[in-house]
């Protein structure tokens, strides 16, 4: 996740005009922070994907739309729940092994992150890399501008030798932009360490996750690396509890996507008439999240000039979270041009952080 990217990013990534500075205009010295919103290829908008997903059979909404400002805050609360072990397990790995991870890649490197969120776990690797190389260029890619802003402000406040170029984009769009900037390594360029943490890869089906890893491999010269977080397979009772907590935080997180449609698209969803469902699909090896209609109803989405009919018990599939074995990670790496160099696990063997090296 390849040469340093930063000096000429404004003229080379095909971006819109620069977003307003984060925080007070004079807060950060020139060159320490850039925020870019990419528009290459005109990807589908929230409105277009809502129309497509809710007129499909079965109905579906993309999980990337969970993460508006409120959704990002709710996900932060989920990560603190005792049932949601994933964040604690991965944080344990990074606390214990960040130095080993940093030492496992040929430096100096820049760091690219897919789906950075609030960057709390990222800082463990920032610490380790700054200890080794003194300075670091960090490029987070996320569709949530609010999450990028929060994470960038926190990191820049803590690390004076960090430079951040934040890309508001989906993963493929951001990776292609980076690849276009520096398609090949040269003798003066830095290597790259890509982070894909949190088992976010589990939100993608088999073809999509292989496609994304090929995109990552396509912007990495041989020898550069991807640190991939994957949630490991475990008993169904543990998995379901992680996605259906008794406090109802995950339910609120799931229902917020309907509230977002109401806010942004003048929708008419009554959230009390839908309920959160989490279930284990043994055949597919994944937890599924759904929103189930409690009754027969018709919901208007006025800005789309749509009325969506629901039968009692009909669901909207909002997220899949695939679970993996170490062998499945090794097979995925081999399929997409990587080799697994190291695997670290937490003390409960619930989660794996795998270092994939581009072949």
């Amino acid at each position: 996740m390849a040469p340093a990217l930063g000096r000429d990013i404004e003229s080379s990534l095909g971006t819109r005009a620069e977003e307003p500075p984060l925080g007070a205009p004079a807060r950060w010295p020139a060159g320490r922070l850039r925020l870019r919103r990419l528009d290459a290829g005109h990807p589908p908008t929230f409105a277009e994907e809502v129309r497509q997903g809710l007129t499909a059979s079965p109905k579906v909404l993309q999980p990337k739309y969970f993460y508006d400002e409120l959704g990002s805050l709710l996900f932060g609360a989920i990560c603190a729940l005792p049932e949601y072990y994933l964040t604690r397990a991965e944080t344990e790995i990074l606390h214990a092994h960040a130095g080993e991870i940093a030492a496992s890649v040929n430096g100096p490197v820049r760091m690219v992150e897919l789906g950075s969120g609030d960057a709390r776990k990222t800082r463990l690797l920032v610490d380790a890399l700054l200890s080794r190389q003194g300075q670091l260029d960090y490029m987070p890619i996320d569709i949530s501008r609010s999450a990028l802003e929060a994470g960038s402000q926190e990191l820049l406040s803590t690390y004076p030798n960090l430079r951040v170029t934040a890309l508001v984009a989906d993963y493929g769009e951001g990776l292609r932009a980076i690849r276009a900037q520096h398609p090949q390594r040269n003798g003066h360029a830095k290597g790259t360490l890509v982070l894909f943490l949190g088992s976010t890869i589990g939100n993608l089906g088999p073809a999509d996750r292989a496609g994304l890893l090929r995109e990552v491999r396509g912007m990495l010269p041989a020898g550069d690396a991807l640190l991939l977080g994957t949630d490991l397979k475990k008993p169904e009772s543990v998995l379901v509890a992680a996605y259906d907590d008794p406090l109802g935080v995950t339910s609120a997180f799931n229902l917020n996507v309907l509230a977002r449609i109401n806010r942004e698209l003048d929708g008419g969803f009554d959230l009390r008439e839908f309920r959160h469902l989490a279930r284990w699909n043994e055949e597919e090896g994944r937890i599924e999240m759904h929103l189930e209609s409690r009754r027969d109803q018709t919901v208007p989405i006025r800005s789309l000039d749509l009325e969506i009919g629901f039968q009692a018990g009909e669901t909207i599939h909002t997220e899949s979270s695939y679970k993996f074995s170490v062998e499945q990670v090794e097979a995925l790496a081999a399929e997409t041009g990587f080799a697994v160099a190291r695997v670290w696990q937490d003390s409960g063997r619930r989660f794996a952080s795998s270092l994939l090296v581009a072949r």
Side-chain angles (χ1 to χ4, degrees):
M1 234 189 144
L5 181 64
R7 290 176 300 176
D8 303 318
I9 190 167
E10 295 91 346
S11 61
S12 303
L13 287 187
T15 65
R16 299 176 184 167
E18 184 170 2
E19 298 286 344
L22 309 183
R27 183 169 183 180
W28 310 115
R32 282 202 66 204
L33 174 65
R34 298 182 179 91
L35 178 69
R36 291 290 181 270
R37 184 182 298 274
L38 303 187
D39 62 358
H42 304 289
T45 65
F46 178 50
E48 290 166 344
E49 294 208 277
V50 166
R51 178 188 294 276
Q52 180 180 350
L54 293 186
T55 56
S57 181
K59 295 179 174 65
V60 63
L61 289 171
Q62 298 299 318
K64 64 184 177 181
Y65 293 119
F66 284 139
Y67 299 97
D68 63 352
E69 185 172 3
L70 177 56
S72 295
L73 290 170
L74 287 167
F75 184 70
I78 288 170
C79 292
L81 294 169
E83 297 81 8
Y84 193 78
Y85 59 85
L86 286 82
T87 301
R88 290 188 302 280
E90 187 174 34
T91 301
E92 177 191 323
I93 294 169
L94 297 180
H95 267 298
H97 300 292
E100 287 179 63
I101 293 167
S104 297
V105 295
N106 295 325
V109 298
R110 62 174 179 180
M111 193 163 71
V112 174
E113 184 167 15
L114 303 180
S116 61
D118 62 11
R120 291 182 187 180
K121 289 177 290 188
T122 307
R123 64 188 300 130
L124 299 170
L125 291 162
V126 171
D127 274 331
L129 287 169
L130 283 173
S131 294
R132 285 180 60 82
Q133 62 190 53
Q135 293 186 328
L136 180 65
D137 290 324
Y138 172 53
M139 298 190 65
I141 303 170
D142 203 297
I143 65 168
S144 171
R145 179 180 172 178
S146 62
L148 285 172
E149 287 178 337
S152 296
Q153 296 240 33
E154 179 72 21
L155 290 171
L156 288 168
S157 296
T158 305
Y159 301 105
N161 292 330
L162 182 71
R163 294 188 302 180
V164 177
T165 300
L167 302 180
V168 184
D170 64 29
Y171 301 148
E173 185 179 36
L175 290 168
R176 288 188 292 273
I178 295 170
R179 183 178 185 179
Q181 172 75 4
H182 285 283
Q184 294 182 339
R185 185 195 293 253
N186 60 55
H188 304 288
K190 297 175 184 176
T192 299
L193 172 65
V194 179
L195 308 182
F196 199 18
L197 305 180
S199 203
T200 306
I201 194 166
N203 293 150
L204 304 176
D208 287 339
R209 62 178 172 253
L212 178 60
L213 260 61
R214 289 190 183 98
E215 290 262 23
V216 175
R217 177 62 186 88
M219 53 83 68
L220 294 180
D224 284 355
L226 163 67
L227 184 68
L228 181 66
T230 50
D231 192 21
L232 299 177
K233 291 182 175 178
K234 53 187 63 68
E236 178 179 349
S237 59
V238 176
L239 291 170
V240 172
Y243 293 84
D244 194 11
D245 62 279
L247 280 176
V249 182
T250 310
S251 175
F253 175 71
N254 198 8
L255 286 163
N256 180 59
V257 75
L258 302 184
R260 182 176 181 181
I261 293 172
N262 288 351
R263 291 190 297 267
E264 298 184 22
L265 302 177
D266 197 14
F269 282 97
D270 182 345
L271 273 59
R272 295 166 295 188
E273 298 296 342
F274 289 83
R275 72 183 184 103
H276 165 71
L277 290 178
R279 59 196 186 204
W280 172 245
N281 184 325
E282 177 70 35
E283 183 177 354
E284 297 291 341
R286 70 191 187 195
I287 285 282
E288 296 176 359
M289 292 207 319
H290 294 257
L291 292 166
E292 181 185 59
S293 178
R294 295 180 183 272
R295 61 177 178 86
D296 292 348
Q297 58 183 305
T298 300
V299 178
I301 306 178
R302 286 171 281 271
S303 72
L304 301 183
D305 195 26
L306 273 182
E307 288 192 341
I308 306 297
F310 291 89
Q311 296 179 345
E314 184 179 4
T315 73
I316 307 169
H317 187 173
T318 54
E319 184 180 53
S320 293
S321 295
Y322 287 83
K323 307 306 172 184
F324 301 88
S325 66
V326 172
E327 292 75 19
Q328 283 177 306
V329 174
E330 291 173 347
L332 177 62
E335 177 187 356
T336 55
F338 291 95
V340 177
R342 293 286 303 274
V343 179
W344 297 270
Q345 295 187 28
D346 67 294
S347 57
R349 304 184 71 81
R350 299 166 295 179
F351 199 95
S353 297
S354 302
L355 189 71
L356 278 56
V357 176
R359 293 181 292 157

